[in-house]
Amino acid sequence: SPWNVLTASMDYTINTNTLLSVKSTVLSGERSLVWFSALPEIPDYQNPVTGAFNNREIDKEFMKSIATEVRLLHAYNIGKIKNSLSTGIRFATAGFDRKEDAPGNNLSNFDMIATGVYDEDFHFGSTNLAAFAENYFKINDRFSVTAGMRYELLMSSVEENDANDIAGEAEKERTRQFILSGIGLQYKVAKTSNLYGNIAQSYRPVDYAQLLPFSTVSKVDPDMKDPRGWNADIGIRGMVQNFFNYDVSLFYLSYNDRIGLVNKTDENGHPYILRTNVDKSIHKGIEAFTELNITGAFDGSKTMGSLLIFNSFAYTNARYTGGAYKGNKVEYAPEIINRIGITYNHKMLSSSLQLSTQTKAFADAANTVRSNNPVIGSIPAYSVIDWSVSQGYKKWKLKAGINNLADKRYFTQRTDEYPGPGIIPSTGRSYYMGIGYNL
């Protein structure tokens, strides 16, 4: 998988109040795969006459893209109100070629030479033009407002050359444009704490991966629409003296035409999985981060080091609000994700222990617990402990750690792609060590 990214940027100070910046990025990458394309329980077949094995399958993908963004930042005053205007334009174009199911050799060596045509040959193209403007209004020393708007023009195309199709080629093009807006408020309630609130429109175009069937028993809705929605949050963040940091917020997300997986049955009674717009979903909950510096509470950090206890907590109630799955939980949306840990720092020594917990989730909109289809089913709750330590000496630093300290068996995803179909199992207990030197 060769992957190359080239980036160039320029900043130009026009005057003391105005800054111009330009950034361009070029990406060129590939991903190639040779494998025996069969279900895990099916062994490789050896011809009893010739002694030869089956031909391998060759898959290749090529990705190329270029993007340029020009931004202008300008500070100005309206009476006593200080303002900062950020505006700009972005242009991007990308191409993605995906070639699959070509026969390779039947040997055991790595060989990417195809001995026949690709059964599937897709070319995806996209062009994006965006213009945006955002203004920061500092009303006074306590209150500020940030308002912004963005215009998007998105053109996408899919070209398919099917070797098994008499028609030979099929091409689809789609163009859409829209305007997104948002506003944020911030009010300083004390010297080291402030209230904040934001509300913004959102848009998520259908991506390349969602347009391709992910197995022979799967289908993609040809009339799939781009999801739209809006999100809002309100919270408070700050610091209590020098020993307690916090950031607590409530959030609400309205997600229209959410894309997911649905079980269907064809006219012959055969089951299949359809990727389509399931329906509208609402996500609401609370996010909280707290950090307590125990030694900092009595100014003992200089002699004893710092002992920090931290906790990152998120509760999400994500459910469909319409259609056949009204009231069901959204796929891959556990109610609780919590990370709690302790960190000790003293001079050049640092050590951290963290416990990560995630509650049960589902892989489909029907909230299926068990199924003969390995792509559909529940994702059980799990907890994982990680530990790390680092020790410095002059310009040297030694790092070591253990991931999944308790050697838990868990998984977070189900897939019908390689190496599926089925769950993607977690990595068991693993160790790492590294050494660094600062020049």
Side-chain angles (χ1 to χ4, degrees):
S1 298
W3 204 259
N4 303 284
V5 179
L6 177 65
T7 301
S9 60
M10 180 196 73
D11 292 325
Y12 178 68
T13 303
I14 299 175
N15 54 49
T16 55
N17 295 321
T18 309
L19 174 67
L20 175 69
S21 63
V22 181
K23 185 175 182 179
S24 292
T25 301
V26 178
L27 181 148
S28 177
E30 299 178 24
R31 183 167 60 184
S32 301
L33 174 69
V34 54
W35 63 315
F36 175 52
S37 57
L39 295 176
E41 67 270 19
I42 299 177
D44 194 358
Y45 173 76
Q46 188 174 17
N47 190 303
V49 178
T50 63
F53 288 95
N54 282 323
N55 288 78
R56 273 36 182 173
E57 179 184 312
I58 305 292
D59 298 338
K60 289 187 177 182
E61 295 176 344
F62 304 89
M63 293 76 84
K64 295 184 184 298
S65 67
I66 182 171
T68 298
E69 184 170 283
V70 181
R71 286 176 175 262
L72 183 70
L73 180 63
H74 178 65
Y76 65 100
N77 292 344
I78 299 179
K80 295 182 179 181
I81 300 177
K82 295 181 179 180
N83 294 268
S84 178
L85 174 65
S86 175
T87 184
I89 189 169
R90 180 181 185 271
F91 175 79
T93 181
F96 176 55
D97 293 321
R98 185 169 186 173
K99 303 176 184 291
E100 292 188 334
D101 298 342
N105 67 34
N106 56 5
L107 306 177
S108 60
N109 62 307
F110 179 83
D111 188 340
M112 291 302 304
I113 299 175
T115 59
V117 297
Y118 291 93
D119 285 348
E120 296 180 5
D121 189 350
F122 294 92
H123 174 75
F124 298 92
S126 64
T127 301
N128 174 232
L129 178 65
F132 56 90
E134 182 180 274
N135 202 94
Y136 170 76
F137 302 91
K138 187 176 181 180
I139 309 302
N140 52 45
D141 291 338
R142 286 181 175 267
F143 184 51
S144 64
V145 179
T146 303
M149 185 171 291
R150 185 180 184 94
Y151 166 77
E152 293 272 358
L153 173 64
L154 183 61
M155 296 173 286
S156 58
S157 64
V158 181
E159 181 180 350
E160 179 183 3
N161 184 9
D162 191 344
N164 299 319
D165 187 357
I166 298 176
E169 293 187 1
E171 185 173 356
K172 295 181 180 180
E173 295 183 355
R174 189 178 180 188
T175 300
R176 55 268 207 209
Q177 53 185 332
F178 47 90
I179 294 177
L180 303 174
S181 59
I183 187 170
L185 309 175
Q186 183 168 277
Y187 182 77
K188 184 177 290 187
V189 294
K191 185 176 180 179
T192 58
S193 63
N194 58 73
L195 290 167
Y196 61 88
N198 306 280
I199 184 169
Q201 295 174 300
S202 56
Y203 180 91
R204 181 177 182 179
V206 178
D207 59 37
Y208 296 151
Q210 293 172 330
L211 294 173
L212 288 173
F214 43 88
S215 77
T216 56
V217 293
S218 304
K219 297 181 181 180
V220 173
D221 184 355
D223 300 320
M224 195 157 49
K225 296 178 289 187
D226 299 320
R228 293 173 177 266
W230 61 274
N231 60 278
D233 68 297
I234 183 171
I236 184 171
R237 60 189 168 211
M239 177 184 295
V240 177
Q241 295 183 5
N242 64 339
F243 65 88
F244 183 65
N245 295 324
Y246 63 93
D247 189 340
V248 182
S249 65
L250 301 173
F251 67 87
Y252 185 96
L253 169 65
S254 176
Y255 200 148
N256 298 315
D257 296 319
R258 180 183 176 87
I259 296 174
L261 304 180
V262 177
N263 278 321
K264 294 284 187 179
T265 303
D266 62 21
E267 59 275 8
N268 298 318
H270 299 138
Y272 67 93
I273 299 173
L274 178 67
R275 181 185 285 127
T276 185
N277 298 105
V278 178
D279 214 287
K280 179 180 179 180
S281 65
I282 297 295
H283 307 237
K284 52 189 176 181
I286 183 172
E287 292 180 337
F289 173 78
T290 55
E291 183 184 67
L292 174 64
N293 187 339
I294 297 177
T295 53
F298 51 86
D299 199 25
S301 300
K302 294 181 180 180
T303 56
M304 301 172 57
S306 62
L307 184 64
L308 306 174
I309 297 177
F310 61 89
N311 183 228
S312 176
F313 172 83
Y315 167 77
T316 303
N317 185 346
R319 295 183 181 272
Y320 287 102
T321 59
Y325 302 103
K326 183 178 180 180
N328 284 13
K329 294 183 178 180
V330 172
E331 306 95 307
Y332 296 100
E335 284 192 346
I336 295 177
I337 298 176
N338 191 55
R339 295 181 176 88
I340 185 170
I342 185 169
T343 299
Y344 176 71
N345 297 303
H346 181 58
K347 295 182 179 179
M348 301 186 76
L349 172 67
S350 178
S351 182
S352 182
L353 185 70
Q354 176 178 282
L355 170 66
S356 301
T357 301
Q358 180 171 305
T359 56
K360 180 181 178 179
F362 296 96
D364 70 321
N367 291 177
T368 307
V369 177
R370 289 184 178 273
S371 171
N372 292 330
N373 189 329
V375 181
I376 302 301
S378 64
I379 300 171
Y382 67 89
S383 297
V384 180
I385 301 174
D386 299 317
W387 172 75
S388 64
V389 63
S390 67
Q391 174 66 61
Y393 177 73
K394 294 183 178 179
K395 294 186 176 183
W396 294 90
K397 177 173 283 189
L398 179 67
K399 297 181 179 180
I402 304 175
N403 291 328
N404 195 357
L405 184 65
D407 200 23
K408 285 283 187 177
R409 297 294 186 263
Y410 67 98
F411 66 95
T412 61
Q413 186 179 1
R414 293 176 179 267
T415 182
D416 208 7
E417 297 184 2
Y418 179 84
I423 65 173
I424 302 297
S426 67
T427 303
R429 184 187 297 117
S430 61
Y431 310 84
Y432 66 89
M433 180 178 291
I435 188 169
Y437 180 78
N438 293 324
L439 298 175

